[in-house]
Structures are given as C-alpha cells and as structure tokens.
Amino acid sequence: MDRLANTVRPYAWGSTTALPELLGTAPTGEPQAEMWLGAHPGAPSRIDRGAGPVSLAEVIDAAPEAELGADAVRAFGPRLPFLLKLLAAGSPLSLQVHPDRAQAAEGFADEERRGIPIDAGHRNYKDANHKPELIVALTLFDGLCGFRHPAQAADLLEGLGVDDLKPYVDILRASPEEDALREVLTAVLSAEHHAIAGTVERAAVAADQLAAQGGPHADAYAAYAVLAHHYPGDPGVLAAMLLNHVQLQPGEALFLGAGIPHAYLGGLGVELMANSDNVLRCGLTPKHVDVPELLRVVRFEAGDAGVLRPEDVNGEEVYETPIDEFRLSRFVAAPGAAPHALPSRTPQILLCTAGTVRLREAEGEAEAGDGDGAGDVLALAPGESVFVPAGERITLAGDGTLFRATVVA
C-alpha cells in the first residue's frame, strides 16, 4: 500500500474552514473546495515507492494489470475508473445534470466533429464517459436532488404569493407529470434574463420571509433564499424550486444518476464518482447553459430525493448503487476489536475521516525495496489516505472511521 499525497482544489464555492479542520491544518483564508484522491489527469495523487514522488496515473499507466488487477482492466480498461474526493461546500454549487454513457459518447463525438476546442467555455462534453456520483455526508449536508412531484412544486410556488409564478403553478397542476416539469423548466430557463430577474427577486424576498415564519416548507424556502442571495436574478433559482430540498445527516448519502438535476448547497462530505468531467448546467452559475442540450439529457421523473443509508455486509457498511465503476463503503473501527481483513481482488483507495485507523499488510505482501517491510503498519489520521493495488491483502484496526473506494469487477 502507498500513502497518497493529494491536491486540494481552491474553487470559489469552497469552505475556508471545513477541510482545514478535518486535516488539522491552519486555514489560509482562501476557499478549499475539494481534495482529489485518485488518478484523474486534472490532479492525480502522488505516491513514493523509494525513488521520489510520482503520479499515481503514471504508476498505473506503466503496469495496469499489476496495479488494478486483470478483472478491473478487463472491465474498465487500463485506468482507475473512479475519483474519490473530500468535498467542502461553503456556498452553493451550480445546478447541474450529467449525461448517461450513450449521451456522453454521442455528445463528445459531435463536438469533436464540429471542432469545438476541449477547453472552450461553451463545450458541453469533455470526454465520452458518464458521471454518476455518490455523496456521503460527514457533517450536516444541504442539497437539492431530483424533481418534486408537480403538485408539491405547485404548492411551494403558490405559497410565495408572487403573481408572476401563477402560470407555472397552473401548468404544474394541470399537465401530466413529465409534461408539466418539462414545460415549466423550459419556460424558466428560456426566458429573457431581464424579464425573469424581477420574478426571481420577488420570489426570493417572499421565500426569506416565509422561512422566518416557520412552517412545513421553512427549510426549503430558506435554502432558496440563500440561492437567490448568491445568484440574484438567476432563473436557476426558480428551477431549483422544482427540486427536492434535502438535509443529510452524517453518514447519509445521495446517489446522483444520469439526468437527475441536483446541486450541493453546503456541508462536508465524501464524494465518489466515475472518472468524467461532463457537466450540463441548469443555472446558479455564470458559466454556459445550453438549454436545448440540457433538456435532451434531463430525466423529467418526480420522486423523493432517495436518501441512502449504508447496509452492513460482514462488518463493512456498503452504500449500494447500480454502478460498477465504483463502490463505496465505510468501516468504523473500535478499540479492542479484532482486525478486519479487506477484500483484495480489486484496487482500492482508503481514506480516514475520523480518529486513527491502523492498516497492516499481510505477511509476505510487501515488495522488497518498497520501504515498507512485510507486516508493516501504517496509521492514518483524518484526511490521510492510501492506494492499495489489487491483490494486496490488508487488515484494519484502531479507533476511527475509514472509507473504502473500489470497483465492482
């Protein structure tokens, strides 16, 4: 196993304190949004096997079957198919959706044919892969996920008492579910900015007042008022009102599949996703919003947010998703408990988020000259992580929480 040195991304929406508190470092005063763990070319982790730090991506490229195992290479190709993150949102992220694999492949090929530069601001597809995501809350985590039922969205909008919203309310009450959601989202995002900005402002003022009064929608109204504060006049604020507002407790999770509109509003979490940069934005951003392409990708299906809780599988708390490129689980180690052996057939990244977790290589697993003798122990503190190649047997013990990211192969 190899300790990872990871990059922290300073996106403007990042918290200035959440990651420093977890990592035990001093805040810099600048936002620290995401710490990336993996082999994504944008910011690959680094390891040192005795010859100095080297990119994990380069290590995998040099010997994919040795690092990933034959099963994973056969299933996903000679690359690590997931990216693990610590995500710290201090302010709302953009409202967005991700394409499925077929949509991504088609969109990427089309933009390549049209010669759109990969770094162009109006480019939608950076690669040909899908981008399902899983977020697990480490603190109270605020977000939006999936469409409300149209009648519920109508009640929420009508409760604001803004006359300009009445046509949307009528559509939501009168049309079939998919048609209603599609028609209202299309109308909101296609409106001229100067025409809808006043409606957004009036809705925001009303939401702020209703949040202060309490009531069944107070938390949701408060969240929408915050969005309007960060993005005044943005039609994405009204689009967000069509979505479920959810507050995750620590340990709870959301799975965000293809076509599901969502946004992270605030909190600290562990995020795991397929390796892709494909994002189609719906609003709450100064970046490009391609409304026709967005409407092609969005799934206009109403339902609750689908909060996930882990299921115990022989001491491993697993967050079940329908995705093979990644699998996330959690171990809560207790003092005095017997060491827990981890499965070894697939590559894995292990991340400590609380306490101290001790990882021991099984006798005979360490390679000569790698700096760690057979049976050596690595102690992980919060925010510390390791990469474990396929086939390497590890046990864990201690007094802390460890997240395990791997694949299904």
Side-chain angles (χ1 to χ4, degrees), residues 96-104 106-107 124-125 147 182 185 257-261 278-282 290-301:
Q96 58 189 252
V97 297
H98 306 302
D100 62 28
R101 188 180 281 108
Q103 291 165 338
E106 181 181 348
N124 292 315
Y125 297 95
F147 287 108
R182 180 183 294 276
L185 184 65
I260 305 301
N278 287 327
V279 175
L280 289 161
R281 294 175 178 85
C282 314
D290 184 336
V291 175
E293 185 64 14
L294 172 73
L295 296 174
R296 187 178 79 89
V297 168
V298 170
R299 293 184 179 178
F300 292 94
E301 300 171 357

Side-chain angles (χ1 to χ4, degrees), residues 152-162 165 169 173 206-207 210 213 217 221:
Q152 296 172 351
D155 289 344
L156 193 79
L157 293 177
E158 190 171 44
L160 292 168
V162 176
L165 297 177
V169 173
R173 294 206 189 283
L210 289 167
Q213 294 172 14
H217 298 305
Y221 283 138

Side-chain angles (χ1 to χ4, degrees), residues 13-329:
W13 50 261
S15 168
T16 59
T17 58
L19 276 180
E21 287 176 2
L22 179 70
L23 301 174
T25 59
T28 65
E30 299 299 319
Q32 298 184 41
E34 295 179 344
M35 186 172 79
W36 287 21
L37 300 86
H40 189 287
S45 301
R46 299 168 304 284
I47 65 174
D48 189 343
R49 292 181 174 173
V54 63
S55 158
L56 180 60
E58 293 177 7
V59 171
I60 292 172
D61 286 346
E65 285 207 7
E67 303 295 336
L68 306 177
D71 290 342
V73 170
R74 186 162 47 250
F76 311 111
R79 62 185 184 90
L80 191 67
F82 62 78
L83 175 64
L84 182 65
K85 298 180 180 179
L86 279 170
L87 183 148
S91 60
L93 283 68
S94 63
L95 186 62
Q96 58 189 252
V97 297
H98 306 302
D100 62 28
R101 188 180 281 108
Q103 291 165 338
E106 181 181 348
F108 180 75
D110 175 64
E111 291 184 331
E112 289 288 279
R113 280 193 301 269
R114 290 190 282 140
I116 300 176
I118 199 72
D119 58 352
H122 63 290
R123 175 108 187 196
N124 292 315
Y125 297 95
K126 308 295 187 182
D127 52 70
N129 198 21
H130 65 165
K131 191 175 182 282
E133 299 175 350
L134 177 70
I135 183 79
V136 179
L138 295 180
T139 64
L140 186 66
F141 197 95
D142 211 22
L144 304 171
C145 180
F147 287 108
R148 294 175 181 271
H149 289 286
Q152 296 172 351
D155 289 344
L156 193 79
L157 293 177
E158 190 171 44
L160 292 168
V162 176
D163 289 343
D164 295 349
L165 297 177
K166 188 175 185 305
Y168 304 144
V169 173
D170 292 342
I171 293 168
L172 291 167
R173 294 206 189 283
S175 301
E177 176 179 287
E178 181 175 340
D179 294 343
L181 295 171
R182 180 183 294 276
E183 188 172 350
V184 173
L185 184 65
T186 301
V188 166
L189 296 184
S190 301
E192 292 292 336
H193 182 81
H194 72 274
I196 203 168
T199 302
V200 174
E201 178 59 27
R202 289 187 286 277
V205 171
D208 196 32
Q209 293 171 346
L210 289 167
Q213 294 172 14
H217 298 305
D219 287 343
Y221 283 138
Y224 301 134
V226 169
L227 292 178
H229 170 75
H230 285 282
Y231 301 99
D234 192 316
V237 175
L238 298 183
M241 292 183 181
L242 300 174
L243 307 185
N244 296 297
H245 173 243
V246 60
Q247 291 182 316
L248 299 179
Q249 298 297 318
E252 294 181 334
L254 290 175
F255 172 70
L256 305 162
I260 305 301
H262 62 276
Y264 301 149
L265 307 184
L268 176 66
V270 173
E271 186 181 39
L272 185 59
M273 63 181 63
N275 249 338
S276 173
D277 294 318
N278 287 327
V279 175
L280 289 161
R281 294 175 178 85
C282 314
L284 310 179
T285 177
K287 296 181 179 180
H288 176 61
V289 177
D290 184 336
V291 175
E293 185 64 14
L294 172 73
L295 296 174
R296 187 178 79 89
V297 168
V298 170
R299 293 184 179 178
F300 292 94
E301 300 171 357
D304 62 32
V307 174
L308 294 177
R309 296 170 182 84
E311 300 179 8
D312 186 274
V313 181
N314 299 320
E316 181 179 15
E317 299 178 347
V318 179
Y319 293 90
E320 294 288 355
T321 72
I323 300 299
D324 288 343
E325 286 101 323
F326 62 70
R327 179 180 185 269
L328 188 66
S329 59

